[in-house]
Every structure is written in structure tokens, then in C-alpha cells.
Amino acid sequence: MIVAATRLGILRSSAQSSRVSSTGEPATKSGTSTFFGPLKQIDAGLLNVGYVEAGPANGPAVIFLHGWPCDIYSFVDVIPLLASAGYRVIVPYLRGYGTTRFLSSEAFRNGQPAALAVDVIALMDALKIQKAILAEFDWGARSADIVAALWPERCKATVSVSGYLIGSQEAGKMPLPPSAELQWWYQYYFATERGKLGYSENRHDFNKLIWKLASPQWNFNDATFDRTAASFNNPDHVAIVIHNYRWRLDLAKGESKYDELEKRLAASPVIPVPTITLDGDANGAPHPDANSYAKKFSGKYTRRVINGGVGHNLPQEAPQAFAKAVLEVDGY
């Protein structure tokens, strides 16, 4: 850990920073990395998963999980920081993104959170990773929270943007204050066939709008968005996204094989592994109030706000702050 922290410190000192975190550390040097190296593919559970890997093969494993509407490029500037610090970094495309494909054309294109969490376990099994640090945001944070709660023996620690995100269909039936409901406008749009067609035909511009709303102070350029937007051309993307949001409102059914997991998740289980939660000070996406979930973490727990206009795509907007949290939680 001392060596890793020293290496990360050297990287920080050589980087210009446009934002400052609440701890006074450089919060971002976004956009310095543009290339991962070759994509890999591996059969894992129901999927053939596309992923990138960096760092020593025998290093401690860190798995980064992206959200919607993002992809593995959310971690493009974080990967070299952790790989150079000696970690084996794995960044997969979620089902419905990039080069990840279902092994069977007959498989149900299921976007329910339990299914995506099982994908994480299947990938770890395929890569022969018994235990890993999970670091993530948005859909990825939801999946990692589920893994940490239901399979804590597979999760050494977690860094989670926006806190505790485990939900259920029952919880989704409860109305929110009007201002909160307004933030979920796209969830209701996706509940309609017009919304499904609109997303299918306009996914590039739709998702670019989501980026702007979720990170209103992030001045990303077209090239940055377009390299991620290519992953939305996955043939299963629309089906997975629409099912995910309809499932949350109990407008679409999941698969019975996940029923037992959903029962456990409906009880809002605590997360026993060491955790750092991160929030950008300019997060425009729907997210829970920090006071509502602090007691959901029974292990060592820290919450940190990253200041300087950081929005929802925190790993990409503030990669150094994100990498620092991974290093810190590994020492808990």
C-alpha cells in the first residue's frame, strides 16, 4: 500500500488539475488517456464478455463497473493510475454494451439488477478471481452493492458513487416528492412504447442529453462522448435498458431464477465490507440523500464529496480522486 500510494502521489504531482476535492487533493485530470490496448473476450455465465485488463496478472484485483449511459471509457484515466500502482484492473462492458454478447439468441434480455450482479460473479469465476475490490457508479454501483451485500466473501471492499443503491420493485411503488419524480422523467418515458421507439431511434442524442443533465458542469467534447456512444450500438442495448427501467416500476417481469435473490434484496440488506462512497458536488442525476443510507454500511465506512463541479460520471470527471479512494479503501 505504501508503494502504491507513493506511485499514485508521483502521478498526481505531475498532473495539472482543473478541480479540487473536498480534501484538497487534485480531483481530476480528465482526458489524458485515450487508449486501452486490445479488448479481450471471455465466456462468463450467460455472456461472452468484452473487457479490458491492465496491470500485473498477480496483482490484487480491482473491477470497475460502469453505468448507463456510459461504458468502459468512464475509467480510461483511472486504469493507468491503478495499474501502475500494482493492481490487476478489470473493466467489463455490461450486458447490452460494447462487445458483450449473450451466448444464446434465445436468452431473455433481462436488465433487472440481480441479473447484472450475477454477471459480476460469473465474470470473477471465469477469470478465477476469488475476491476483488469493486469500484463503480450508476448501474455498476447497484450491481456492486448487491454483490457486496449478498456475496461479501467475494468483495474485499467497494468504492461506490452515490451511496447505497439496492432497491426492489416494492420500493419502486412508493411515490417520491415531485422534484425527485421529475428527475426520473426518462424512466416514465421508457415505460411507453413511444419511449422505447424514441430511445431506439435517437439513442445517441438521447444519451448525450443525459450526460449533460447528469454532469451539468462537465465540458466534455464530442469525441469523448462519441467513443462511448459506439457501445450503445450493441444489438441488445435497447432491450436491456428498457427492461431495466420497466422492471423497477413493476411494469416488466424478471426471471424466476432470481426470485430468491430479489426477496433478500427487498429487505435492504446491509453491506458489511469496507466502503467509501463518493458524491460529486454537481451531480445532476437522481441519487439518494446521504443521510438515508449511512447505516446501511456495517463495515468501516467513509463518505466523501468531490467538489469543483463534479457530476455523475465521477470516475471520468475526477479520476485521481476516484483512484485515491480505491487505494484508501484497500487499506481499511
Side-chain angles (χ1 to χ4, degrees):
M1 281 300 299
I2 293 173
V3 172
T6 300
R7 289 175 177 168
L8 186 56
I10 291 172
L11 287 167
R12 284 201 190 96
S13 66
S14 64
Q16 294 179 348
S17 175
S18 61
R19 294 172 182 164
V20 178
S21 76
S22 58
T23 62
E25 294 288 338
T28 184
K29 187 177 183 296
S30 179
T32 58
S33 301
T34 59
F35 181 65
F36 286 122
L39 273 170
K40 298 182 177 182
Q41 299 288 144
I42 191 169
D43 288 351
L46 300 175
L47 306 170
N48 177 260
V49 178
Y51 69 102
V52 294
E53 182 171 0
N58 62 349
V62 179
I63 299 175
F64 293 141
L65 300 170
H66 68 81
W68 172 85
C70 297
D71 77 337
I72 60 177
Y73 276 101
S74 290
F75 305 98
V76 67
D77 293 311
V78 183
I79 292 170
L81 298 178
L82 272 296
S84 66
Y87 288 86
R88 180 189 181 190
V89 182
I90 308 292
V91 193
Y93 281 113
L94 303 187
R95 56 170 64 189
Y97 294 81
T99 60
T100 292
R101 298 289 189 273
F102 283 87
L103 293 172
S104 170
S105 61
E106 303 300 318
F108 178 41
R109 272 43 179 176
N110 186 349
Q112 74 182 105
L116 272 71
V118 170
D119 289 346
V120 177
I121 297 295
L123 178 62
M124 293 176 67
D125 288 344
L127 293 172
K128 296 180 170 53
I129 296 173
Q130 180 57 36
K131 201 167 194 175
I133 297 172
L134 303 180
E136 66 291 320
F137 72 107
D138 199 80
W139 283 23
R142 198 176 300 272
S143 298
D145 284 353
I146 293 172
V147 171
L150 300 188
W151 298 281
E153 70 279 3
R154 305 300 300 271
C155 183
K156 181 178 181 181
T158 183
V159 173
S160 182
V161 176
S162 298
Y164 183 92
L165 296 181
I166 294 176
S168 67
Q169 288 183 326
E170 286 302 312
K173 294 176 182 178
M174 299 301 295
L176 300 171
S179 59
E181 297 283 14
L182 179 62
Q183 288 189 303
W184 284 113
W185 65 272
Y186 53 86
Q187 181 171 247
Y188 302 111
Y189 180 63
F190 290 161
T192 68
E193 287 306 297
R194 177 184 177 184
K196 179 180 179 179
L197 179 62
Y199 186 64
S200 180
E201 293 184 353
N202 303 297
R203 71 189 79 170
H204 179 279
D205 291 347
F206 190 102
N207 289 337
K208 194 170 187 178
L209 172 62
I210 295 295
W211 274 37
K212 291 177 179 178
L213 294 175
S215 299
Q217 297 184 42
W218 182 28
N219 295 318
F220 62 89
N221 57 30
D222 288 344
T224 297
F225 176 76
D226 288 344
R227 68 183 181 184
T228 285
S231 72
F232 309 145
N233 294 325
N234 182 295
D236 301 311
H237 178 75
V238 173
I240 295 296
V241 171
I242 297 300
H243 184 263
N244 179 282
Y245 287 105
R246 289 185 179 182
W247 180 91
R248 296 190 199 188
L249 295 176
D250 199 16
L251 298 175
K253 299 302 180 184
E255 293 177 272
S256 59
K257 63 182 177 180
Y258 301 116
D259 286 351
E260 184 57 37
L261 296 180
E262 294 297 352
K263 288 179 183 178
R264 296 170 64 187
L265 295 172
S268 299
V270 298
I271 293 175
V273 306
T275 299
I276 294 177
T277 61
L278 300 175
D279 287 286
D281 66 330
N283 185 0
H287 59 280
D289 182 271
N291 294 324
S292 69
Y293 59 71
K295 294 183 179 179
K296 289 298 182 181
F297 299 96
S298 60
K300 186 172 182 180
Y301 169 67
T302 301
R303 176 179 179 257
R304 185 166 299 136
V305 176
I306 310 302
N307 294 318
V310 177
H312 187 60
N313 192 353
L314 194 149
Q316 196 163 1
E317 298 177 64
Q320 299 219 10
F322 193 82
K324 179 187 176 183
V326 174
L327 286 174
E328 182 178 331
V329 81
D330 191 23
Y332 277 9

